[in-house]
Amino acid sequence: MRVSEVQQEALTAEKAKWMYQKMVEIRRFEDQVHETFSTGTIPGFVHLYAGEEAVAVGVCSHLDDKDYITSTHRGHGHCIAKGCDLKGMMAEIYGKATGLCKGKGGSMHIADVSKGMLGANGIVGGGFPLATGAGLSAKLRKTGGVAVCFFGDGANNHGTFHEGINQAAIWNLPVIFVAENNGYGESTPFEYASSCKSIADRAAGYNIPGETVDGKDTMAVYEAAQRAVERARNGEGPSLIECVTYRNYGHFEGDAQTYKTSEEREQHLNELDAIIRFREYLLSNNHASEDDLHSIDENVREAVADAVEFAEKSPMPEADQLTTDVYVNYKPGGEE
Amino acid sequence: MRVSEVQQEALTAEKAKWMYQKMVEIRRFEDQVHETFSTGTIPGFVHLYAGEEAVAVGVCSHLDDKDYITSTHRGHGHCIAKGCDLKGMMAEIYGKATGLCKGKGGSMHIADVSKGMLGANGIVGGGFPLATGAGLSAKLRKTGGVAVCFFGDGANNHGTFHEGINQAAIWNLPVIFVAENNGYGESTPFEYASSCKSIADRAAGYNIPGETVDGKDTMAVYEAAQRAVERARNGEGPSLIECVTYRNYGHFEGDAQTYKTSEEREQHLNELDAIIRFREYLLSNNHASEDDLHSIDENVREAVADAVEFAEKSPMPEADQLTTDVYVNYKPGGEE
Amino acid sequence: MARQISFADAINEAIKETMRNDENVILLGEDVAGGADLDHLGDEDAWGGVMGVTKGLVQEFGRDRILDTPIAEAGYVGAAVSAAATGMRPIAELMFNDFIGSCLDEVMNQGAKLRYMFGGHAKIPLVIRTMHGAGFRAAAQHSQTLYGMFTAIPGVKVVVPSTPADAKGLLISAIEDDDMVVFFEDKTLYNVKGEVPEGHYTIPIGKADIKRAGDDLTIVAIGKQVNTALAAAEQLAQKGIEAEVVDPRSLSPLDENTILKSVQKTSRLVIVDEANPRCNAATDISALVADKGFDYLDAPIKMVTAPHSPVPFSPALEDLYLPTPEKILAVVSELIDDESVVTI
Amino acid sequence: MARQISFADAINEAIKETMRNDENVILLGEDVAGGADLDHLGDEDAWGGVMGVTKGLVQEFGRDRILDTPIAEAGYVGAAVSAAATGMRPIAELMFNDFIGSCLDEVMNQGAKLRYMFGGHAKIPLVIRTMHGAGFRAAAQHSQTLYGMFTAIPGVKVVVPSTPADAKGLLISAIEDDDMVVFFEDKTLYNVKGEVPEGHYTIPIGKADIKRAGDDLTIVAIGKQVNTALAAAEQLAQKGIEAEVVDPRSLSPLDENTILKSVQKTSRLVIVDEANPRCNAATDISALVADKGFDYLDAPIKMVTAPHSPVPFSPALEDLYLPTPEKILAVVSELIDDESVVTI
Ligand SMILES: Cc1ncc(C[n+]2csc(CCOP(=O)(O)OP(=O)(O)O)c2C)c(N)n1
Ligand SMILES: Cc1ncc(C[n+]2csc(CCOP(=O)(O)OP(=O)(O)O)c2C)c(N)n1
Ligand SMILES: [Mg+2]
Ligand SMILES: [Mg+2]
């Protein structure tokens, strides 16, 4: 065995454990928010990412802070995978002054630009143009960065899908479009709303590579993303990856989910579960021991509990925060 | 020769002469507007259709008044092919009270809903949703009608392309999307702005038939349109036809057209010209004699001259027209 | 007639009444039924709209007339425009008014202008139902109040009901109207109950309603702010100040006379509009009175609005964002020289 | 300094000055260069914008910085928003302000709100240049005046210059500003010439300019209507009435003090805004004065605007659509009891 191979394997195990940790962080975080929401402590609309962890983590494991992502209304998973602070996130969801956005954004708008996380987004399809612009910016400023646009199967029918991808393609921008096809947009099935058989089929219309992967198979996502990110970094332009996945909870908290069948839920929450499967992969490939994973689980449990405590104990924003941060510079009554 | 074949042939000759007449009407009308515009008599932006006659006529020859079309800023050709009155059109372009829209619309908004012509449109991409809605309306009201959306290669990158076609496809609507790929959107080449190699390539992303035809070959357009209109009438849903064509004049009157090469212009205005080619087709297939065509040419010349005279002699709208036709019913200061 | 139903149910009834009367009325929007094409649901709806307002309609009218759409606002709102131009009477639901960003062209440049551009040879009997308003912890992109934007557009009528009974009667009028109407539903009103007549009835679009009579001061308030104004009026009454609360109910057309007459009587005007303060309905009404009612006025025209900032998520901030009875009392105290008016 | 250049050239110079100083400034829009990727043109532009305003820029700055875009306003305006959030200073050209229908979301829900929703952890130094105004025989979809819509949106600054010198100085300020600025260019002003300083200079956004001083009456006029107001003032002067013409130059922020001070002096106010009459900048300014300047006023506040209808194509109608000096004189005659004021 050559040294380089050893090193590569060592690196992979470390990365693999990091990935496992992030996936468990997302799951634990979302399960926690779900529980807390039902007690009425959390205000507003909350869309949970649980079940789709393999997508955010499989993709973001190829990115660092100079790379950008755009996210969706279902953004917690992307935030965590991109390195956002759990305490700051939880406090934001509670509307606290210590939140990543000082409580002004909430669940649907968590952002951390310093980490390349350009915000969850309440507008379906809002991310396509933004990701393209971030890719353009990275290219013009020659940072070597790429931009990833996460979007849902519902968003795939919005006009911005078309405009964003076409633009990234003609300008050959370092952008990766990652479809999270979880089968539904709110209560509407993908098959009803989308005329394409798969979202990946649409890539051909932009002359870019498109592929469909099992979005609950972490390594399948990881490998597809690796190819796409490499292409982008090498100046070969955008790609589209469709990840077929499932959301464990409803569209938002409070959704009765009558559009789902109990069989599909059963199957997705158990045998197809991405974390269970990735756990098995790690163990059977000797990337980690049961003990390793157990201690990750425990640490995550603690980290999320800390985040909740932090959020609960944090103060609400002060009244003067209502009208700050609208502009960098603005004199309401004009100059002088 | 069986009787039915005789009848069919007779019908075809008649239709063929109608098509020739419409093509010549468009060409003569546009050449006339071009000349008059240069004298300063015609106000505003004018986008001429000359050169693209085969598309409007090849398609509209399958339609009647119960069928709808949506058009573009370059709409005169569609209007004529759909049966709009030349006098009313010319008067509209002059801004006269006798215009099809009482002078309120102008060149970019000529419409005649009674003929199924739902208006030229100043908004690029504006026609996709409108055509879909007209198709939905025809389907729900069970009129047997279809809707055709004419659009340019530039419009093919607008978000409404995506939304309109997807919607028509999932609802299986009787809509035909007809791309007029004349190589440029304003001064920007199709190849630069569009990531697809052909617009027809994009049909696959909506799971509908798409084909590319020589848009200056009248019969090629005619036949492709026939297939698509039949499909639509039979309840088999939408199709996309890309017609490769060329505009003889600039984007609008006043365009120096430096983006065109003289070779391409030369070729398109002569050997590739759709009217010259259709004329030859008619003669060689015995659909018409030189005399027939000559008298059509003469009649058209006269009809366009009459239209100009009508427009010139017509009065401008009265002042009270400024604020009528905004609503069916509106009391500015409220009820009572 | 003491039947009390919610604002949401009143809207549901209005749609039902008109759909029963006219088969050209259809409803389309995202998840207005929900669960389209799912075998296990059949004709059952999965959602009936994100807030359940259109629940049950698909069972009665079927999926041809209650159409779930893709998430493509330009697509289906534009389709509704031409469906209207070609003989249908569509009701398009724009789930949140904030999403007008995805389909303004279809409203402003197509729906609102076709009739004029066609020289009157078309009509657009289209209703766009849309949800607006803050107070729901829905943050900056789901809480705006944008009726001012639509009021500015010629060719659009704008209706903003404040009670269940008004909502039903005005929505029936809107659906039966031959022009395009944008119908605003405040999401925090849906559960509010009130007396609502059974069956078919209409309330004319363009007729304000005096929700409380008074001689000392006029408060014009829009949508759910009518309730804020009524609460303030209640407190003012305890100080012996009688406020007249005028609910315009529609902003375009605006019932100018009712407002001007009220100001003629009271000489003082406060306008309550929860939209951001610039170029909004409050400034519009103020400008009307500063022109045509100037001679009636004894004091400056005051406006109580949201500040010039997006809607914050944090409940602590959002509660400060909206107009309150206290904010109304504070400006009234500037108009009427009586310190005791301000209770807080 | 007697150099006279056109409004269009002043804008071209402003872009040039800022692009030379800061390589992060880029310009993107439809045909802003034109002829992209055509061998026979090379670095030559085919158009330089539909009106030639950006002509020559691509020759100096290259196609990496002067970017022709597809006809996809949401796509490139949205891209400009995030390019701005990530270190660039884009100038996005929205050819006609009417096309905001295709990209309002990117302006209203993204660009204008990101900073607030992110708790201040982002800035959007983006300029959207856009053409507006009637009088060009461009009909209903290419002639609107929509600055009121943008003024209503928190997070947006709105600039409307009326002279070439103002255009240059304000555009340089806008490009160097750390916030999103929508910059309105009246298409009928492009060929108007005026004295314009060479080189780099700025005019602060939020500072009104008194284009003519006077004691008898204040006319606040926006954009090219400043010229209409000045023409009216000229005629009034012949009757011995001295009008002060105030050009706000920016609507957000609005220089309230300059307007209020002028009304304090004159006691009479007319506002000229060529937008449609409802919820527009004129009503906004009227409401400001009816509140904070009420005590200064001796007469109703009058507004001269377009009617509540789309812009007609026919020249005969379009000429009736716009404000004119005569229409201003007619309302002035209502404010000042002197029949001779009305010359027509
Ligand atoms: C422009 C716009 N239209 C509609 C909505 C309402 N909405 C929020 S999420 C959602 C469904 C999105 O579906 P999908 O893209 O599949 O994402 P998922 O929720 O499945 O993750 C809808 C319709 C919105 N937020 N923005
Ligand atoms: C939404 C919108 N964006 C931009 C324009 C300006 N514009 C008018 S025509 C045109 C080019 C259209 O190109 P294409 O679709 O190829 O049609 P063609 O002119 O070639 O017939 C552009 C950019 C517009 N009218 N509407
Ligand atoms: Mg989904
Ligand atoms: Mg073209």
Side-chain angles (χ1 to χ4, degrees):
Chain A
M1 194 189 275
R2 278 173 299 146
V3 176
S4 67
E5 278 175 355
V6 176
Q7 281 179 335
Q8 216 181 317
E9 190 148 327
L11 181 69
T12 306
E14 199 182 322
K15 176 70 119 198
K17 276 185 281 190
W18 176 89
M19 288 168 68
Y20 177 79
Q21 182 190 321
K22 287 290 149 190
M23 289 174 71
V24 176
E25 279 179 9
I26 296 173
R27 178 68 55 90
R28 182 71 212 111
F29 191 91
E30 297 295 62
D31 287 349
Q32 179 66 55
V33 172
H34 175 76
E35 278 166 45
T36 315
F37 189 90
S38 68
T39 70
T41 321
I42 292 175
F45 291 116
V46 177
H47 308 80
L48 300 180
Y49 195 77
E52 308 187 10
E53 296 86 355
V55 183
V57 173
V59 171
C60 291
S61 56
H62 301 290
L63 309 180
D64 65 27
D65 287 357
K66 75 170 178 306
D67 298 313
Y68 298 108
I69 67 168
T70 64
S71 169
T72 68
H73 54 288
R74 196 175 305 291
H76 303 173
H78 309 129
C79 290
I80 293 174
K82 198 65 174 54
C84 291
D85 176 56
L86 297 185
K87 289 181 180 165
M89 284 180 62
M90 193 64 88
E92 188 60 33
I93 291 167
Y94 277 70
K96 297 299 180 77
T98 55
L100 279 178
C101 307
K102 303 183 190 161
K104 295 184 180 183
S107 167
M108 260 194 292
H109 307 292
I110 307 181
D112 189 343
V113 179
S114 72
K115 298 259 191 265
M117 164 60 197
L118 296 178
N121 208 311
I123 301 297
V124 170
F128 298 106
L130 298 177
T132 311
L136 177 66
S137 171
K139 184 177 175 179
L140 290 175
R141 291 182 298 118
K142 301 190 178 60
T143 64
V146 305
V148 173
C149 173
F150 291 102
F151 67 99
D153 51 289
N156 130 75
N157 299 313
H158 199 271
T160 47
F161 169 95
H162 187 61
E163 298 195 3
I165 299 182
N166 183 62
Q167 200 170 247
I170 65 160
W171 290 337
N172 202 41
L173 299 179
V175 186
I176 299 102
F177 296 94
V178 178
E180 301 178 319
N181 187 346
N182 60 14
Y184 304 95
E186 296 192 341
S187 70
T188 296
F190 166 68
E191 291 76 15
Y192 170 80
S194 296
S195 52
C196 51
K197 287 196 197 107
S198 87
I199 299 175
D201 283 354
R202 289 187 164 165
Y206 310 97
N207 220 347
I208 64 169
E211 62 176 311
T212 302
V213 300
D214 177 351
K216 301 189 66 168
D217 175 343
T218 309
M219 288 312 294
V221 176
Y222 180 85
E223 283 161 17
Q226 183 159 43
R227 288 189 289 276
V229 171
E230 255 170 36
R231 269 178 56 83
R233 290 210 205 281
N234 290 339
E236 294 167 67
S239 315
L240 190 157
I241 303 170
E242 176 184 28
C243 303
V244 179
T245 183
Y246 196 76
R247 54 171 154 73
N248 288 355
Y249 294 111
H251 170 64
F252 47 23
E253 290 306 280
D255 176 5
Q257 307 179 62
T258 60
Y259 48 89
K260 292 182 176 176
T261 64
S262 42
E263 298 80 53
E264 83 185 37
R265 288 182 72 168
E266 185 58 31
Q267 198 190 22
H268 272 288
L269 268 61
N270 295 302
E271 75 201 78
L272 294 178
D273 184 73
I275 295 184
I276 297 175
R277 285 158 72 189
F278 192 52
R279 208 185 151 87
E280 276 159 19
Y281 171 85
L282 294 185
L283 293 173
S284 62
N285 283 271
N286 292 322
H287 283 320
S289 66
E290 282 279 6
D291 272 3
D292 291 342
L293 301 183
H294 182 73
S295 79
I296 290 175
D297 291 349
E298 285 309 302
N299 290 343
V300 167
R301 186 168 294 274
E302 218 169 286
V304 171
D306 288 353
V308 170
E309 199 191 332
F310 176 79
E312 280 174 353
K313 291 202 172 141
S314 289
M316 280 287 177
E318 298 290 333
D320 65 2
Q321 287 294 310
L322 179 59
T323 53
T324 54
D325 300 326
V326 184
Y327 299 90
V328 175
N329 225 310
Y330 192 81
K331 309 219 179 89
E335 284 293 314
E336 271 162 321
Chain B
M1 193 187 274
R2 279 172 299 145
V3 175
S4 68
E5 276 176 355
V6 176
Q7 281 179 337
Q8 213 184 317
E9 188 146 329
L11 179 71
T12 305
E14 201 182 321
K15 177 71 116 193
K17 276 186 281 192
W18 177 89
M19 289 169 67
Y20 177 79
Q21 180 190 321
K22 287 290 148 188
M23 290 175 72
V24 176
E25 280 180 9
I26 297 172
R27 179 68 57 89
R28 184 69 213 111
F29 191 91
E30 297 296 64
D31 286 350
Q32 179 67 53
V33 172
H34 174 76
E35 276 166 46
T36 316
F37 189 90
S38 68
T39 69
T41 320
I42 293 176
F45 291 116
V46 177
H47 309 80
L48 300 180
Y49 196 77
E52 308 187 10
E53 296 85 355
V55 183
V57 173
V59 172
C60 290
S61 56
H62 301 290
L63 309 180
D64 65 27
D65 287 358
K66 76 170 177 307
D67 299 312
Y68 297 108
I69 68 168
T70 64
S71 169
T72 68
H73 55 287
R74 196 175 304 290
H76 304 172
H78 309 131
C79 290
I80 293 174
K82 198 69 174 55
C84 292
D85 175 57
L86 296 185
K87 288 181 180 166
M89 285 181 61
M90 192 65 88
E92 188 60 35
I93 292 168
Y94 277 70
K96 296 300 181 74
T98 55
L100 279 178
C101 307
K102 304 184 190 160
K104 294 183 180 184
S107 166
M108 260 193 291
H109 306 292
I110 306 181
D112 188 343
V113 178
S114 70
K115 298 257 190 267
M117 163 61 196
L118 295 178
N121 208 311
I123 301 297
V124 170
F128 298 107
L130 298 178
T132 311
L136 177 66
S137 170
K139 184 177 174 180
L140 290 175
R141 290 182 297 119
K142 301 191 177 59
T143 63
V146 305
V148 173
C149 173
F150 291 100
F151 67 99
D153 52 288
N156 128 77
N157 299 312
H158 200 272
T160 47
F161 169 95
H162 188 61
E163 298 195 2
I165 299 182
N166 183 62
Q167 200 168 247
I170 65 160
W171 290 337
N172 201 41
L173 300 179
V175 186
I176 299 103
F177 296 94
V178 178
E180 303 179 317
N181 187 346
N182 60 14
Y184 305 94
E186 296 193 339
S187 71
T188 296
F190 165 67
E191 292 76 15
Y192 170 80
S194 296
S195 52
C196 52
K197 286 195 197 105
S198 87
I199 297 174
D201 283 354
R202 289 187 166 164
Y206 310 97
N207 221 346
I208 64 168
E211 64 176 310
T212 302
V213 300
D214 177 351
K216 301 190 66 169
D217 176 344
T218 310
M219 287 312 294
V221 176
Y222 180 85
E223 283 161 15
Q226 184 158 44
R227 288 188 290 276
V229 171
E230 257 170 36
R231 267 180 57 83
R233 290 209 205 280
N234 290 338
E236 294 167 67
S239 314
L240 191 157
I241 304 169
E242 175 185 27
C243 304
V244 178
T245 182
Y246 195 77
R247 56 171 153 74
N248 288 355
Y249 293 112
H251 168 66
F252 47 24
E253 291 305 279
D255 175 5
Q257 307 180 60
T258 61
Y259 47 90
K260 292 180 176 177
T261 64
S262 43
E263 299 79 54
E264 80 184 39
R265 290 181 73 167
E266 183 59 33
Q267 201 190 20
H268 272 286
L269 269 61
N270 296 301
E271 74 201 79
L272 294 178
D273 184 75
I275 295 184
I276 297 174
R277 285 160 71 189
F278 192 53
R279 205 186 154 88
E280 276 159 19
Y281 170 86
L282 295 185
L283 293 171
S284 64
N285 283 272
N286 292 322
H287 283 318
S289 65
E290 282 279 4
D291 272 2
D292 291 341
L293 301 183
H294 182 75
S295 79
I296 291 175
D297 292 349
E298 286 308 301
N299 291 343
V300 167
R301 186 168 295 275
E302 219 169 284
V304 172
D306 287 351
V308 170
E309 200 191 328
F310 176 79
E312 280 174 352
K313 290 203 173 141
S314 289
M316 280 287 177
E318 299 291 335
D320 65 3
Q321 286 294 310
L322 179 59
T323 53
T324 55
D325 299 327
V326 184
Y327 299 89
V328 175
N329 225 311
Y330 192 82
K331 309 219 179 89
E335 283 295 313
E336 274 163 313
Chain C
M1 191 213 63
R3 190 182 68 133
Q4 300 255 340
I5 62 171
S6 72
F7 194 89
D9 288 342
I11 288 164
N12 188 293
E13 278 193 6
I15 298 173
K16 240 184 245 164
E17 290 293 337
T18 52
M19 289 192 74
R20 283 175 189 160
N21 286 346
D22 183 348
E23 65 173 9
N24 287 318
V25 178
I26 58 171
L27 171 72
L28 65 178
E30 292 153 17
D31 300 273
V32 287
D37 280 358
L38 288 178
D39 287 340
H40 74 276
L41 282 176
D43 262 356
E44 201 67 24
D45 46 23
W47 272 25
V50 69
M51 299 296 194
V53 175
T54 51
K55 188 119 199 99
L57 295 177
V58 78
Q59 280 87 322
E60 178 168 351
F61 302 106
R63 290 200 178 265
D64 269 0
R65 295 181 66 196
I66 308 291
L67 268 164
D68 285 335
T69 66
I71 308 173
E73 289 79 10
Y76 75 82
V77 172
V81 166
S82 60
T86 59
M88 310 292 298
R89 287 193 172 274
I91 307 168
E93 176 178 302
L94 184 64
M95 193 186 292
F96 290 82
N97 75 162
D98 315 67
F99 304 163
I100 187 62
S102 296
C103 58
L104 179 65
D105 190 74
E106 284 61 36
V107 175
M108 178 175 80
N109 287 329
Q110 313 297 339
K113 293 189 175 43
L114 288 190
R115 179 175 174 79
Y116 191 80
M117 296 189 304
F118 293 4
H121 301 305
K123 58 178 187 178
I124 314 291
L126 164 63
V127 176
I128 299 179
R129 289 180 44 234
T130 192
M131 195 161 42
H132 76 104
F136 210 76
R137 291 42 174 131
Q141 293 174 334
H142 288 73
S143 304
Q144 293 167 85
T145 285
L146 300 174
Y147 38 63
M149 182 188 291
F150 295 86
T151 302
I153 304 173
V156 180
K157 291 177 179 170
V158 177
V159 173
V160 195
S162 68
T163 69
D166 283 356
K168 180 172 170 185
L170 285 163
L171 183 52
I172 292 178
S173 290
I175 298 168
E176 293 174 356
D177 197 286
D178 274 344
D179 292 309
M180 183 162 100
V181 180
V182 184
F183 189 88
F184 283 85
E185 304 169 10
D186 190 304
K187 55 178 88 68
T188 65
L189 287 179
Y190 280 136
N191 290 327
V192 172
K193 290 198 171 184
E195 250 178 50
V196 175
E198 314 250 8
H200 179 285
Y201 67 96
T202 59
I203 294 176
I205 297 174
K207 187 81 205 84
D209 187 41
I210 296 180
K211 286 283 193 283
R212 177 195 173 108
D215 285 336
D216 299 330
L217 156 85
T218 299
I219 307 179
V220 175
I222 301 161
K224 84 154 172 257
Q225 296 310 325
V226 169
N227 298 332
T228 317
L230 288 171
E234 206 60 50
Q235 296 189 37
L236 286 168
Q238 286 165 23
K239 314 278 166 195
I241 299 168
E242 292 301 331
E244 178 146 305
V245 177
V246 179
D247 176 359
R249 298 199 291 198
S250 73
L251 295 171
S252 181
L254 179 71
D255 181 348
E256 300 184 351
N257 266 342
T258 299
I259 295 170
L260 289 168
K261 268 194 220 149
S262 178
V263 176
Q264 184 171 24
K265 179 171 69 173
T266 66
S267 307
R268 287 176 177 79
L269 175 60
V270 174
I271 308 159
V272 189
D273 176 3
E274 76 163 84
N276 297 116
R278 305 294 312 280
C279 298
N280 64 5
T283 66
D284 185 83
I285 292 166
S286 171
L288 164 74
V289 176
D291 177 0
K292 300 189 192 167
F294 182 77
D295 293 339
Y296 309 147
L297 287 167
D298 281 350
I301 301 172
K302 291 288 169 189
M303 295 171 288
V304 178
T305 70
H308 187 63
S309 59
V311 181
F313 166 68
S314 179
L317 296 177
E318 197 182 25
D319 290 343
L320 298 171
Y321 182 87
L322 283 169
T324 56
E326 292 68 35
K327 289 181 191 172
I328 297 173
L329 296 183
V331 301
V332 170
S333 76
E334 294 179 46
L335 299 186
I336 296 176
D337 277 333
D338 179 350
E339 287 245 323
S340 65
V341 168
V342 192
T343 55
I344 289 181
Chain D
M1 191 213 61
R3 190 182 69 132
Q4 299 255 339
I5 64 171
S6 72
F7 194 88
D9 287 343
I11 287 164
N12 188 293
E13 278 192 8
I15 299 172
K16 240 184 244 165
E17 289 294 337
T18 52
M19 289 192 76
R20 284 175 187 159
N21 286 346
D22 183 348
E23 64 174 9
N24 287 319
V25 179
I26 58 172
L27 172 72
L28 66 176
E30 292 154 18
D31 300 272
V32 289
D37 280 359
L38 290 177
D39 287 342
H40 74 277
L41 282 175
D43 262 356
E44 201 69 24
D45 45 24
W47 272 27
V50 69
M51 299 295 195
V53 175
T54 52
K55 190 121 199 97
L57 294 176
V58 77
Q59 280 87 322
E60 178 168 351
F61 301 106
R63 290 200 178 264
D64 270 0
R65 295 181 66 196
I66 308 291
L67 267 164
D68 285 336
T69 67
I71 307 172
E73 288 80 9
Y76 75 82
V77 172
V81 166
S82 60
T86 59
M88 309 292 298
R89 287 191 171 275
I91 307 167
E93 178 178 300
L94 183 64
M95 195 186 290
F96 290 82
N97 75 161
D98 314 68
F99 304 164
I100 188 63
S102 297
C103 58
L104 179 64
D105 190 74
E106 285 60 37
V107 174
M108 178 175 80
N109 287 330
Q110 313 297 338
K113 294 189 175 40
L114 288 190
R115 179 176 174 78
Y116 191 78
M117 296 188 305
F118 293 4
H121 301 305
K123 57 178 189 179
I124 314 290
L126 164 64
V127 176
I128 298 179
R129 290 180 44 236
T130 192
M131 193 157 48
H132 76 105
F136 210 76
R137 289 42 174 131
Q141 294 174 334
H142 287 73
S143 303
Q144 292 166 87
T145 285
L146 299 173
Y147 38 63
M149 182 188 293
F150 295 87
T151 301
I153 304 173
V156 180
K157 292 178 178 170
V158 177
V159 174
V160 194
S162 68
T163 69
D166 283 355
K168 181 173 171 183
L170 285 163
L171 183 52
I172 292 177
S173 290
I175 298 168
E176 293 174 357
D177 198 286
D178 274 343
D179 293 309
M180 183 162 100
V181 181
V182 184
F183 190 89
F184 283 85
E185 304 170 10
D186 190 305
K187 56 179 88 67
T188 65
L189 286 179
Y190 280 136
N191 290 325
V192 172
K193 290 198 171 186
E195 252 179 48
V196 176
E198 314 248 10
H200 180 284
Y201 67 97
T202 59
I203 292 176
I205 296 173
K207 189 82 206 83
D209 188 40
I210 297 179
K211 287 281 192 286
R212 176 194 172 111
D215 285 336
D216 301 329
L217 157 86
T218 299
I219 307 178
V220 175
I222 301 161
K224 83 154 173 256
Q225 297 309 328
V226 169
N227 297 332
T228 317
L230 288 171
E234 205 62 49
Q235 295 187 39
L236 286 168
Q238 287 164 23
K239 318 276 166 195
I241 298 167
E242 291 300 332
E244 178 147 303
V245 176
V246 179
D247 175 359
R249 298 199 292 200
S250 72
L251 295 171
S252 180
L254 178 71
D255 182 348
E256 300 184 351
N257 265 343
T258 300
I259 295 169
L260 290 168
K261 267 195 219 150
S262 179
V263 176
Q264 185 171 25
K265 182 171 66 173
T266 66
S267 308
R268 286 177 179 78
L269 175 60
V270 173
I271 308 160
V272 189
D273 177 2
E274 75 162 87
N276 296 117
R278 305 295 312 279
C279 297
N280 64 4
T283 67
D284 185 83
I285 292 166
S286 170
L288 164 74
V289 177
D291 177 0
K292 299 188 192 167
F294 181 77
D295 293 339
Y296 308 147
L297 286 167
D298 282 349
I301 302 172
K302 293 286 170 190
M303 295 172 287
V304 178
T305 70
H308 187 63
S309 59
V311 181
F313 166 67
S314 179
L317 296 177
E318 196 181 26
D319 290 344
L320 298 171
Y321 182 87
L322 283 169
T324 56
E326 291 68 35
K327 290 181 190 172
I328 298 174
L329 296 184
V331 301
V332 170
S333 76
E334 295 180 44
L335 299 186
I336 297 176
D337 278 331
D338 179 347
E339 286 247 322
S340 66
V341 167
V342 192
T343 55
I344 285 179

